[in-house]
Amino acid sequence: MSPDLLPPVAPDVTAGLVEALSPRLRKRLDAGIAKLATRPVTREGDTVRIAVDDDTDLELHAPGGSVTSADAIRCGCLLAPDCLHRAAAASAAPIAEDTENTGTGTGTGTGSPGDTPADGSGTTADGSAPDGTPHDGTSHDGIAPTGPPTAGTPTVGTSGDSPDGAFGSAPAAPDGDTSVTAHGRTRTRTRTPLDAPGGPSRRQGNAETAPPPVPETVPPGQLDAARAVFDAAAAVLEAGTDGSGAVVQAALLRAAHTARLAGLPRIAASAVSVVNGIRAARTADPAHRLAALAEALRTVLGMAHRLPFATGADLAELRGTVRMPYTPDGSLRLYGLFSEPVLTTTGYAGAVTWTADAEGRLYTVSDVAPGGPGRATGAADRTVRIGDTALTHRELSRAGLAVSGATVSPTGRLGAGAGVRAVRASGAEWTAEPLDRLWTVPVAEQVARALGGGHDLLFLDVTLGGAVRGSTGDDLLAECDGLAVRLATAHDDPALPYRDNLRLLSAVGGARLRVVARLVPGPFPRALLLAAGHPSSPGTRLDLGLDRLQHADLPAAPAPAAAEAPQADEAPLHLLRRRVHQAVSGGRRVLAFPDSGAGDGGRLRSVGLVTAADLLDELRSAAADRSRDAFGRLLPADPGRFARAWLASAVYTDEVERALCAAAWGAPH
């Protein structure tokens, strides 16, 4: 049984069914899920039926496309409704988008009433943008932050709960002051009482004056919800993916649902994305990436940790909104750039087409929905869902679009409201105006923009070299403005032609091509290759995730030998990054071994990375910290301390890698 055959199940339904199990059945839940996966599945309309055995069926009723109540999962065994089968089916099914009321701090933005993304998908339940745009940790998580994108660094302590109810450590504020800790900086704001000596009066003459604004504080309900998410995510980190079975996942789903009800949809979506990542890891999904799961954990822990100390725009950003806000943008004249397939580990697939206006601003049109590789490759030939246009995504990537009454999200996604009109228009070559201006921006400036929170697409003119061994396979070495750049495969799924196309391009060394790539932060210049000019047909573009090159398309030239990547002195930051990733996969116990990175701290200090060494020492100390009671028995470990130590290490490595990336590309940082 593939999870794709089951209807999505709401997070609170899964959590409730697992919580209702007896302790004995909870221990058998993971084995029950594995056994259920071998049983045949049939679908009749809105009902999916699983044959538990020859005489017993399990039914999931999803009249709206997803299971939204526990009563919709029915089992015919003798132990029902308290049986293991219902919880196992819910835990094996995809996670549905939670549509319950989210309370304060949410809304639909300022777009037109009823405005929707061009793909009609709204927000996703996996914590990633439905259009498949890259995750930057702020605005591409499927829940729209209401403030500007920022790369926040949480203030992480090693002590217990702070007296004000927060679950990290923060400096105490003096009497009458408010201490605000956000993005790794502490600011103290002094508030003078209205009637205190020297304070402002409520009345000046006969005019009534408003009291001075008081910074918004986090309600107790949201503090409790954020604490629950932090604790549930810390339990995941404590156990690692190997030990995070259905019971641990259900606890995080319950915390996510609670956060959504409390008005924290962005934190809720990030928590769900962690569960999806755990499931991908435990099922050996080929698309699973440990680094992506570590990033998801860092994001949810960081946001839950920062919330108690946030105010103003930072607080609004952490809360997010249920729907991506769309604002009117008048009339647009757009020119197609390229299309890329979308295929996520969380069951979404489709295509997104990038366009640009005459000023070089980027806009996207997407068609993403639940599905697999077949939908990712077929979505390019589906009609664009904007206005009355009959263009497909593949056609739009080479043509143009004239839009009136346009609505646009903060990430540049075009809306498809009732008032939007769109017709086909002529396109432009990459070497002609207005698209040519995208390639005239200096590379260092493009990288600085991406690292600063803008879009992460790079428009490069490169001279191709040969293949060079990379961390995930062969990369294509290219020269760009005097830099040796590694161009890597954007997606490894064999159904997508990325890797085959990159291998063929490595055989045309010396060719000068114009390409579009996505920045990969790291200590040396590296990017994911998305689109390129045709090596033997000037004026023709290739969407490397959709179009498949053939040997006959290549110019007649001898294949170059494998290129050698330039060797550079590289800061050994991987010593800390490796421990961060090991904790995600193996849990706290992996780092508690006495020889776990024992000499890495000294090596980091020898090259001047003293902070990295201190963080690694604290991470190992938190992992091994097990005190004993008066009878010599081991007390439970402190998952909160370990989670804070891990979070500090993860944030530090991300920030240092961004700085090293900027230096490698020659960009200001």
Side-chain angles (χ1 to χ4, degrees):
M1 177 189 70
S2 170
D4 295 339
L5 300 176
L6 300 180
V9 177
D12 60 311
V13 173
T14 302
L17 290 173
V18 173
E19 291 166 356
L21 293 176
S22 65
R24 180 180 63 86
L25 290 180
R26 288 190 187 187
K27 295 179 181 179
R28 298 171 50 191
L29 181 55
D30 291 322
I33 295 172
K35 182 177 180 181
L36 205 64
T38 63
R39 306 304 301 166
V41 179
T42 58
R43 179 185 291 270
E44 297 178 4
D46 296 328
T47 300
V48 174
R49 186 172 291 104
I50 306 173
V52 177
D53 54 40
D54 294 339
D55 302 319
T56 306
D57 287 339
L58 176 69
E59 295 182 348
L60 292 86
H61 299 272
S66 61
V67 177
T68 57
S69 69
D71 294 338
I73 303 179
R74 306 166 190 168
C75 184
C77 73
L78 295 177
L79 296 179
D82 300 323
C83 63
L84 182 71
H85 304 130
R86 298 171 70 223
S91 300
I95 302 173
E97 179 181 352
D98 194 339
T99 56
E100 296 288 337
N101 177 31
T102 57
T104 60
T106 62
T108 56
T110 58
S112 304
D115 201 7
T116 61
D119 62 356
S121 62
T123 57
T124 68
D126 65 344
S128 62
D131 60 1
T133 52
H135 194 295
D136 62 5
T138 55
S139 61
H140 293 176
D141 55 1
I143 298 294
T146 57
T150 56
T153 303
T155 301
V156 180
T158 57
S159 62
D161 294 350
S162 58
D164 61 355
F167 37 92
S169 60
D175 292 341
D177 294 350
T178 298
S179 179
V180 180
T181 306
H183 305 301
R185 301 186 299 273
T186 301
R187 308 183 299 277
T188 301
R189 300 174 179 173
T190 302
R191 296 201 303 270
T192 304
L194 291 174
D195 298 326
S201 174
R202 289 187 181 275
R203 291 182 178 271
Q204 295 179 357
N206 294 325
E208 185 80 18
T209 60
V214 178
E216 182 183 6
T217 57
V218 185
Q222 292 188 348
L223 285 175
D224 292 342
R227 179 192 294 270
V229 171
F230 187 92
D231 291 344
V236 169
L237 197 59
E238 169 80 9
T241 56
D242 296 339
S244 295
V247 175
V248 175
Q249 296 170 32
L252 187 52
L253 288 178
R254 170 62 71 192
H257 181 67
T258 302
R260 195 173 183 91
L261 293 179
L264 302 174
R266 189 168 174 229
I267 292 179
S270 296
V272 171
S273 73
V274 172
V275 177
N276 281 318
I278 294 170
R279 291 183 177 183
R282 291 176 61 86
T283 57
D285 190 319
H288 164 67
R289 293 291 178 271
L290 181 59
L293 179 55
E295 170 65 16
L297 259 176
R298 185 196 69 82
T299 299
V300 70
L301 284 170
M303 289 194 298
H305 181 87
R306 284 168 51 198
L307 186 81
F309 314 119
T311 59
D314 187 37
L315 178 56
E317 176 196 341
L318 290 174
R319 285 171 173 162
T321 59
V322 176
R323 293 295 298 265
M324 185 76 73
Y326 283 78
T327 56
D329 203 13
S331 298
L332 297 174
R333 176 65 171 89
L334 304 177
Y335 300 84
L337 274 169
F338 72 100
S339 289
E340 60 173 321
V342 176
L343 184 59
T344 72
T345 60
T346 54
Y348 284 85
V352 57
T353 298
W354 292 80
T355 65
D357 66 6
E359 303 300 322
R361 292 186 294 265
L362 300 184
Y363 299 84
T364 59
V365 181
S366 59
D367 182 359
V368 179
R375 196 181 194 286
T377 55
D381 295 315
R382 295 168 64 95
T383 302
V384 172
R385 299 179 182 179
I386 296 182
D388 299 325
T389 177
L391 281 171
T392 65
H393 285 268
R394 193 186 301 273
E395 292 170 338
L396 176 58
S397 68
R398 284 134 174 107
L401 204 63
V403 185
S404 62
T407 56
V408 184
S409 77
T411 59
R413 185 156 29 134
L414 292 175
V420 179
R421 299 290 182 268
V423 296
R424 178 172 185 157
S426 59
E429 299 294 337
W430 282 357
T431 54
E433 287 293 337
L435 299 184
D436 179 65
R437 67 179 58 195
L438 296 171
W439 278 266
T440 61
V441 178
V443 175
E445 185 177 328
Q446 296 186 48
V447 173
R449 175 195 61 213
L451 295 176
H455 70 79
D456 55 1
L457 295 185
L458 302 180
F459 301 91
L460 310 175
D461 287 307
V462 301
T463 301
L464 300 183
V468 62
R469 177 62 61 182
S471 57
T472 58
D474 287 342
D475 294 344
L476 175 59
L477 195 64
E479 185 275 332
C480 177
D481 286 354
L483 293 173
V485 179
R486 293 170 179 253
L487 298 175
T489 302
H491 203 293
D492 288 328
D493 194 286
L496 304 178
Y498 278 121
R499 184 162 297 283
D500 292 339
N501 286 337
L502 188 132
R503 186 182 67 252
L504 288 175
L505 287 176
S506 66
V508 290
R512 183 75 173 171
L513 293 182
R514 181 159 277 191
V515 303
V516 182
R518 176 166 288 129
L519 177 66
V520 178
F524 49 82
R526 190 166 182 263
L528 305 178
L529 189 58
L530 302 173
H534 199 289
S536 61
S537 180
T540 302
R541 336 173 174 170
L542 295 170
D543 297 332
L544 297 177
L546 299 171
D547 302 325
R548 193 174 291 275
L549 269 172
Q550 304 294 332
H551 282 283
D553 297 326
L554 303 181
E564 293 186 3
Q567 301 297 319
D569 294 334
E570 183 179 328
L573 192 64
H574 65 276
L575 298 177
L576 180 59
R577 172 68 77 184
R578 179 173 57 189
R579 303 306 173 188
V580 168
H581 287 179
Q582 280 181 342
V584 175
S585 61
R588 178 190 56 80
R589 292 180 297 274
V590 173
L591 300 187
F593 297 134
D595 60 345
S596 177
D600 292 345
R603 183 177 174 188
L604 289 169
R605 288 187 176 89
S606 68
V607 295
L609 295 176
V610 179
T611 301
D614 292 344
L615 289 170
L616 180 58
D617 290 345
E618 169 59 19
L619 184 61
R620 295 181 63 247
S621 175
D625 183 15
R626 295 293 302 275
S627 56
R628 296 179 181 271
D629 62 12
F631 299 98
R633 294 172 299 192
L634 278 175
L635 295 174
D638 182 1
R641 179 193 173 189
F642 180 67
R644 290 189 293 270
W646 181 90
L647 178 59
S649 299
V651 170
Y652 172 84
T653 52
D654 285 344
E655 291 302 312
V656 173
E657 282 187 348
R658 289 166 62 88
L660 293 175
C661 179
W665 289 88
H669 181 69

